[in-house]
């Protein structure tokens, strides 16, 4: 193998190693982002469930004919 051919091969290997390092870093950052988003989604689901329960309790506590749906607008 000639020196020029060996140098070209070494340059190509170095380029591939550099690309691999960038891809590895990107993979770790994407993994951290997905994990963070998963935690946020779980927290939001829990909050939504709490809000739905509170809304259901408010609707159950209101007697029929007393809820905002049954109110007559002020201009009547």
């Amino acid at each position: 193998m000639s020196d020029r051919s060996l140098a070209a091969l070494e340059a190509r290997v170095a380029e591939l190693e550099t690309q691999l390092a960038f891809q590895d870093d990107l993979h770790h950052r994407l993994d951290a982002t997905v994990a963070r988003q998963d935690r946020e989604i779980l927290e939001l689901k829990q909050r939504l469930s709490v809000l739905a329960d509170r809304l259901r309790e408010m609707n159950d506590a209101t007697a029929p004919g007393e809820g905002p749906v049954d109110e007559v607008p002020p201009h009547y």
Side-chain angles (χ1 to χ4, degrees):
M1 208 179 242
S2 69
D3 287 340
R4 191 164 56 175
S5 161
L6 185 59
L9 183 59
E10 288 175 350
R12 181 68 180 139
V13 169
E15 176 65 26
L16 290 172
E17 289 174 340
T18 302
Q19 288 178 4
L20 177 62
F22 281 118
Q23 288 177 356
D24 193 38
D25 180 58
L26 177 62
H27 178 263
H28 288 296
R29 287 188 288 137
L30 288 173
D31 188 46
T33 299
V34 168
R36 179 184 49 80
Q37 288 178 341
D38 185 52
R39 287 189 306 271
E40 289 174 357
I41 288 170
L42 290 175
E43 181 184 344
L44 289 171
K45 283 182 177 181
Q46 182 181 11
R47 287 183 179 187
L48 181 61
S49 177
V50 169
L51 286 173
D53 290 343
R54 287 176 62 187
L55 182 59
R56 200 172 305 111
E57 288 172 4
M58 289 173 58
N59 285 339
D60 291 345
T62 306
E66 293 181 12
V69 173
D70 300 318
E71 284 183 14
V72 176
H75 60 277
Y76 280 116

